[in-house]
């Protein structure tokens, strides 16, 4: 199944998925495979991985963005653990901050700040499932300076608190709560 996920990862890259995104997803699902113990659980993780890769490639091909927006999305993904500002993104794309902001909202459908939050919360979800690090550390790493704000944003996007999410998605080995 690990080889299958690696092959799906390669196919997704050929389908247009960003290399780093694909390899991160691949690592994420391989880690999950190594933690489960039954054939049924292995098949479930493999199916989830295939569906996830397929949906991402589909969304990519469905939502073709302009070069500046794609460049911003890649930068955001690659700098989730750092400080990301509109000015930095605008400079990267050689556009004014106001123009980039309106272009991003027009093409993606949400403001840049919300997109950045969504991506950080997606990363937090992965970290909550595959690590035992305290929620406070995860929120700090992902540039949320206030843990209560992190919890509020997490709940807005996911519908549950980080602790509830970890509890619902732990494989028994990640039962440490913080």
């Amino acid at each position: 199944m690990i080889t299958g996920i690696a092959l799906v990862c390669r196919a997704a890259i050929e389908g247009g998925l960003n290399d780093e995104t694909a390899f991160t997803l691949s690592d994420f699902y391989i880690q999950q495979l190594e933690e489960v113990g039954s054939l049924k659980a292995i098949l479930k993780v493999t199916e989830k991985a295939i569906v996830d890769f397929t949906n991402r490639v589909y969304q990519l091909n469905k939502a073709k963005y302009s070069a500046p927006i794609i460049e911003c999305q890649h930068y955001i993904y690659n700098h989730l653990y750092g400080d990301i500002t509109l000015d930095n993104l605008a400079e990267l794309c050689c556009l004014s901050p106001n123009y980039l902001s309106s272009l991003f909202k027009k093409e993606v459908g949400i403001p840049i700040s919300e997109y950045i939050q969504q991506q950080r919360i997606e990363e937090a979800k992965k970290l909550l499932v595959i690590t035992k690090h305290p929620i406070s550390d995860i929120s700090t790493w992902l540039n949320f300076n206030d843990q209560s704000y992190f919890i509020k944003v997490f709940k807005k996007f996911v519908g549950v608190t980080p602790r509830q999410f970890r509890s619902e998605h732990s494989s028994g080995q990640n039962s440490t709560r913080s």
Side-chain angles (χ1 to χ4, degrees), residues 81-133:
Y81 294 87
D83 191 27
I84 304 168
T85 66
L86 178 59
D87 287 340
N88 290 351
L89 292 170
E91 188 177 318
L92 175 75
C93 300
C94 301
L95 298 172
S96 77
N98 286 343
Y99 180 72
L100 176 61
S101 183
S102 65
L103 181 66
F104 196 97
K105 175 131 171 76
K106 178 182 170 193
E107 288 190 29
V108 181
I110 57 174
I112 291 177
S113 58
E114 188 173 336
Y115 181 83
I116 293 168
Q117 284 183 339
Q118 278 183 347
Q119 297 310 304
R120 285 184 168 149
I121 296 303
E122 285 302 311
E123 187 72 6
K125 285 167 53 179
K126 292 175 196 169
L127 292 171
L128 288 166
V129 172
I130 65 173
T131 74
K132 295 180 182 182
H133 294 293

Side-chain angles (χ1 to χ4, degrees), residues 11-174:
I13 291 170
E14 288 176 22
L17 191 60
N18 174 317
D19 292 15
E20 276 207 48
T21 303
F23 291 131
T24 301
L25 272 178
S26 176
D27 291 346
F28 172 71
Y29 286 114
I30 289 170
Q31 172 90 30
Q32 283 190 341
L33 281 176
E34 290 173 344
E35 291 178 359
V36 296
S38 70
L39 179 59
K40 186 176 182 179
I42 289 170
L43 292 173
K44 187 175 180 181
V45 170
T46 304
E47 180 183 347
K48 191 174 172 185
I50 292 168
V51 168
D52 192 2
F53 276 108
T54 305
N55 283 339
R56 286 172 187 261
V57 172
Y58 172 76
Q59 290 301 323
L60 257 179
N61 291 318
K62 181 179 136 195
K64 290 289 184 188
Y65 298 124
S66 64
I69 301 306
I70 292 170
E71 192 171 7
C72 284
Q73 289 174 324
H74 287 167
Y75 181 89
I76 291 165
Y77 182 79
N78 292 326
H79 295 85
L80 289 174
Y81 294 87
D83 191 27
I84 304 168
T85 66
L86 178 59
D87 287 340
N88 290 351
L89 292 170
E91 188 177 318
L92 175 75
C93 300
C94 301
L95 298 172
S96 77
N98 286 343
Y99 180 72
L100 176 61
S101 183
S102 65
L103 181 66
F104 196 97
K105 175 131 171 76
K106 178 182 170 193
E107 288 190 29
V108 181
I110 57 174
I112 291 177
S113 58
E114 188 173 336
Y115 181 83
I116 293 168
Q117 284 183 339
Q118 278 183 347
Q119 297 310 304
R120 285 184 168 149
I121 296 303
E122 285 302 311
E123 187 72 6
K125 285 167 53 179
K126 292 175 196 169
L127 292 171
L128 288 166
V129 172
I130 65 173
T131 74
K132 295 180 182 182
H133 294 293
I135 292 167
S136 59
D137 288 354
I138 292 171
S139 71
T140 301
W141 294 337
L142 291 170
N143 228 28
F144 286 92
N145 297 324
D146 179 1
Q147 186 179 350
S148 61
Y149 179 66
F150 168 71
I151 292 168
K152 179 181 172 185
V153 172
F154 191 96
K155 190 167 185 176
K156 172 186 164 188
F157 287 114
V158 184
V160 295
T161 66
R163 179 172 294 161
Q164 290 168 322
F165 182 85
R166 175 175 269 169
S167 174
E168 292 170 7
H169 293 86
S170 67
S171 60
Q173 297 165 357
N174 292 347

